[in-house]
Amino acid sequence: MIIPHPILGPRDAQEFVYLGDASLLNRPDWQAEDASSAFHDYQYQRNNPAGVHRELWFHEQGDRSWLVVTRDTTTHEILKAELARDVALAGETAK
Amino acid sequence: MSYSGFRLIKEALRGHSGWKPAWRNPEPQPGYDFVIVGGGGHGLATAHYLAKVYRKSRIAVLEKGWIGGGNVGRNTTIIRSNYLLAGNEPFYELSLQLWEGLEQDLNYNAMVSQRGVMNLFHSDAQRDAARRRGNGMILHGSDAELLDTDGVRREAPFLNFNNARFPIKGALMHRRGGTVRHDAVAWGYARSADRHGVDIIQNCEVTGFRIENNKVLGVETSRGYISAGKIGVAVAGSSGRVMSQAGMRLPIESHVLQAFVSEGLKPVLPGVITFGAGHFYVSQSDKGGLVFGGDIDGYNTYAQRGNLPVVEDVCEGGMALMPMIGRTRLLRMWGGVMDMSMDGSPIIDRTQIDGLYFNGGWCYGGFKATPASGRVFAHLLATDTPHETATAYRFDRFEKGLMIDEKGVGAQPNLH
Ligand SMILES: Cc1cc2nc3c(=O)[nH]c(=O)nc-3n(C[C@H](O)[C@H](O)[C@H](O)COP(=O)(O)OP(=O)(O)OC[C@H]3O[C@@H](n4cnc5c(N)ncnc54)[C@H](O)[C@@H]3O)c2cc1C
C-alpha cells in the first residue's frame, strides 16, 4: 500500500506504524459522570467496518507525523490521507 | 453410512459405486430451536455437540458460502495446549483431549497427528519464561519438556543454531501438540452433525436479526426469514460485520494473516517449529509441502489477502532459522481474515439481547480451539450457563479489568 502523505507525497506503508480507528483521537472527558464506561468504549470497542475506515498511521520511519488515512478495508484502496493534527483541530474525527 | 476399513474394502471391490454424499443439502425450514450462524469449524462443532452431547434437535447451521471456505480451510493446522494463564489453559487442554478422541467421536479421519510443537528460545530471560509456561502447562494436566541446545539439535539438526542475533538456546517442547487436516475437521463435524439431524444450509447469508423487546426472534437471510429460539453466532473474521446487524460493537478488529506452502518435499521436518523472535513458524504437511507463516499484516481488513512486506518478513524469518528453506519453491500463499480481540483471547458469552449468543475473538489461534469451542458454546446454548472451562471468556471482562492477556501486550489487537 502507498500512502499519499500530505507533506511528503507518496510513501510506502512500510514506513508507518498502524494504530487503528481514528476515533481514538476523541479521548473522552475524564471528569464526566459516565467517564468509566466512556473510557471502556474508547479503549476496547471498535466499529470495525467492512468498507471505508478512517484510521491512524504514524510515520515512524519518516517525519514522525500522525496521519488520518481513509482506506477501504475490503479492497485496501487508500482514498485520502490527512495530518491527524489538522483533523483533530478541525474537530471532525470519525465518530 | 459408517466409515470403516471393512466398508473401504467393500467399496473397492465394487468400484466405489456405493459412497453417498457426506451430508444432505436441505432446504431451510421456516424455523428452528437453534440457529448457528457460520459454517466454519466452530459453528459446525457447536451443532455436532448440541445434537450429540446435549441431545437437542431442530438445529440449523447457516453458512453464507460453502462450509470450510473460511478460516477453518485457510489455517496452518497447528493444535496445542501450551497456554499459561488460568483462564485459558483448562479450555485448550479440554480441546486437545477432544482432538485426541475426535476421529472415533466423528467416525471420520481428520488426520490428527501429534508430532510435537517446539517453541524455540534464544536468551536466559526467554528460557525462564518457557520454564514458567511449561510448569503452568504441567500443573493444568498438559505436557511440557524443556530442551537445551543439544536437545533441539537432536530434534532438528538442520536449524541454524548460531544466528548472531537469535542463537538457539533451547526450546519448550509440547509433544502432544501437532497438526490436523483442517478441511477434514469441517467435513467431519458437518457429516456427524448431519447424521444427528442438523440441517446444514449453505449459500445462506445472514443479513439481519429480527429483534423485538430486546429478544431475538430470528434471522433475515439471503434465502428468506428463519425464526429461531436461540441464535449462536460463530463467524470468526466476520464477527464485527454480523454483530453490527444486531446493533452491537465488539472489542474486536478484523486483520489478515497470511500463510504459505512450498512444493512437496520428502519428509524433512519432525514436527511444528516456532521461531517467535523471528516471526516465523513451520511444519510439513503429509503431502510434503512446508506450511509456514508469521505475523499478521497489522491493519484492519476484510480482504482475504495481504501485502508483500509481510511475505518478505516471513521469508527472511525462514531463511534465518533454516537456511535450507531457500532451496525450495513457494507453491501457494493466501490470507484469512481474523477476529483479533483486544486481549488476544476469545469471547464465548450471551449478549445483552435475549436469545442471542456470541462466539468469536479467536485471533490467529482458533483452529486448535475448534472442538472445545464447539463443546462449550453448545453448553452455553443448551444450559444458559458457561462451561466450567470457559467462565473467563465474558464480554464484561474488559470493563472489570479481568483481561486474559496471554502475551502481556495490553489492548492492542494488532500486536497479538
Ligand atoms: C493463515 C491462517 C493461519 C492460521 N493458523 C492457525 C493455526 O495454526 N492454529 C490455530 O489454532 N489457528 C490458526 N488460525 C486461526 C483459525 O483458522 C481461526 O481462528 C478459526 O478457524 C476460526 O473459526 P472458524 O473455523 O469457525 O472460522 P471460519 O471457518 O472462518 O468460519 C466462519 C464462517 O462464517 C461464515 N459467515 C460469515 N458471515 C456470515 C453471514 N453473514 N451469514 C452466514 N455465514 C457467515 C463464513 O463464510 C465462514 O465460513 C489461522 C488462521 C489463518 C487465517
Side-chain angles (χ1 to χ4, degrees):
Chain A
M1 292 185 292
I2 304 287
I3 295 179
H5 192 297
I7 299 170
L8 303 175
R11 308 300 312 181
D12 193 319
Q14 269 313 88
E15 296 173 3
F16 293 78
V17 174
Y18 181 80
L19 182 65
D21 197 315
S23 65
L24 289 169
L25 285 174
N26 306 327
R27 185 179 278 268
D29 173 7
W30 63 276
Q31 285 177 311
E33 279 291 301
D34 64 346
S36 93
S37 86
F39 268 100
H40 164 263
D41 290 0
Y42 170 79
Q43 172 91 327
Y44 298 110
Q45 304 286 71
R46 296 288 186 273
N47 286 341
N48 195 21
V52 175
H53 190 223
R54 297 185 82 200
E55 53 203 22
L56 289 165
W57 292 76
F58 176 54
H59 200 193
E60 191 182 39
Q61 316 273 325
D63 70 345
R64 305 187 76 76
S65 59
W66 281 95
L67 302 188
V68 172
V69 175
T70 307
R71 196 176 55 96
D72 189 325
T73 60
T74 59
T75 61
H76 297 166
E77 186 189 357
I78 293 175
L79 306 165
K80 194 156 73 167
E82 307 150 89
L83 288 176
R85 187 171 175 278
D86 294 347
V87 175
L89 288 177
E92 41 110 5
T93 45
K95 282 281 184 299
Chain B
M1 181 202 288
S2 265
Y3 295 157
S4 64
F6 174 71
R7 166 82 57 186
L8 196 61
I9 293 167
K10 191 169 151 195
E11 287 302 330
L13 293 177
R14 52 177 189 165
H16 295 287
S17 55
W19 298 115
K20 301 256 167 15
W23 54 86
R24 296 164 297 134
N25 209 359
E27 282 302 307
Q29 305 284 316
Y32 293 92
D33 289 352
F34 296 91
V35 162
I36 312 296
V37 185
H42 293 208
L44 294 164
T46 304
H48 160 83
Y49 293 111
L50 253 184
K52 187 166 177 184
V53 177
Y54 297 92
R55 308 212 160 269
K56 299 294 179 190
S57 52
R58 295 183 18 94
I59 305 167
V61 176
L62 311 183
E63 165 54 49
K64 78 169 174 195
W66 66 94
I67 61 168
N71 286 347
V72 70
R74 292 167 182 269
N75 66 77
T76 43
T77 80
I78 298 164
I79 62 164
R80 56 192 168 88
S81 157
N82 61 356
Y83 283 68
L84 174 68
L85 299 181
N88 272 333
E89 182 54 17
F91 172 84
Y92 287 102
E93 181 54 27
L94 169 70
S95 208
L96 191 53
Q97 287 173 14
L98 290 170
W99 283 119
E100 286 170 335
L102 186 79
E103 293 164 322
Q104 299 307 318
D105 184 26
L106 299 182
N107 178 238
Y108 201 89
N109 181 6
M111 297 164 69
V112 177
S113 164
Q114 294 179 292
R115 52 185 72 182
V117 174
M118 200 160 64
N119 302 138
L120 301 175
F121 55 75
H122 318 277
S123 66
D124 288 348
Q126 280 192 309
R127 181 189 293 109
D128 289 349
R131 191 189 298 273
R132 176 165 177 248
R133 175 177 296 271
N135 285 336
M137 290 157 62
I138 291 168
L139 286 172
H140 281 114
S142 185
D143 71 288
E145 215 176 291
L146 201 70
L147 302 182
D148 59 9
T149 312
D150 283 340
V152 177
R153 211 185 286 277
R154 271 194 295 280
E155 299 285 341
F158 47 81
L159 298 179
N160 176 9
F161 286 81
N162 300 319
N163 182 299
R165 178 67 184 86
F166 296 117
I168 296 172
K169 296 292 181 192
L172 186 64
M173 175 62 132
H174 171 44
R175 295 205 186 267
R176 284 162 66 240
T179 58
V180 181
R181 168 92 164 89
H182 50 357
D183 301 314
V185 174
W187 301 332
Y189 272 120
R191 171 169 167 274
S192 175
D194 178 85
R195 292 171 92 204
H196 286 91
V198 173
D199 281 0
I200 294 168
I201 301 163
Q202 306 184 70
N203 299 313
C204 181
E205 178 171 3
V206 169
T207 53
F209 296 92
R210 198 173 287 180
I211 298 167
E212 267 172 34
N213 299 325
N214 201 40
K215 179 168 176 22
V216 71
L217 306 176
V219 283
E220 309 287 353
T221 79
S222 54
R223 295 177 69 174
Y225 176 73
I226 299 174
S227 76
K230 289 181 178 177
I231 299 175
V233 176
V235 294
S238 301
S239 293
R241 213 174 190 174
V242 171
M243 295 312 279
S244 72
Q245 295 164 4
M248 284 182 69
R249 294 172 84 212
L250 303 174
I252 288 176
E253 285 179 4
S254 293
H255 287 250
V256 64
L257 180 68
Q258 305 192 56
F260 309 82
V261 66
S262 77
E263 61 190 335
L265 305 172
K266 289 189 175 167
V268 285
L269 293 190
V272 181
I273 302 172
T274 78
F275 176 34
H279 309 173
F280 177 80
Y281 65 95
V282 63
S283 66
Q284 187 170 20
S285 79
D286 290 325
K287 277 195 290 190
L290 301 182
V291 181
F292 56 96
D295 274 348
I296 57 173
D297 273 39
Y299 43 80
N300 283 51
T301 173
Y302 284 88
Q304 292 186 101
R305 58 187 168 76
N307 276 300
L308 291 172
V310 168
V311 179
E312 188 178 14
D313 186 55
V314 170
C315 292
E316 281 171 1
M319 285 302 289
L321 179 68
M322 38 186 280
M324 71 177 182
I325 204 172
R327 302 286 297 274
T328 137
R329 277 164 296 189
L330 197 62
L331 192 63
R332 286 185 293 129
M333 52 193 260
W334 64 92
V337 180
M338 280 151 322
D339 34 341
M340 303 298 292
S341 68
M342 291 290 157
D343 59 358
S345 296
I347 295 162
I348 304 174
D349 201 358
R350 287 185 260 199
T351 67
Q352 310 95 313
I353 300 160
D354 280 348
L356 184 61
Y357 300 75
F358 176 74
N359 173 325
W362 291 102
C363 302
Y364 39 64
F367 177 68
K368 72 177 91 70
T370 305
S373 167
R375 181 74 162 70
V376 309
F377 200 35
H379 185 95
L380 180 68
L381 285 162
T383 67
D384 268 309
T385 51
H387 188 271
E388 57 179 4
T389 63
T391 51
Y393 296 151
R394 311 296 295 269
F395 274 113
D396 64 4
R397 68 173 183 262
F398 300 97
E399 228 165 283
K400 294 186 169 163
L402 300 174
M403 273 74 76
I404 318 168
D405 189 359
E406 188 82 25
K407 292 226 173 131
V409 290
Q412 269 296 350
N414 47 7
L415 290 182
H416 286 288

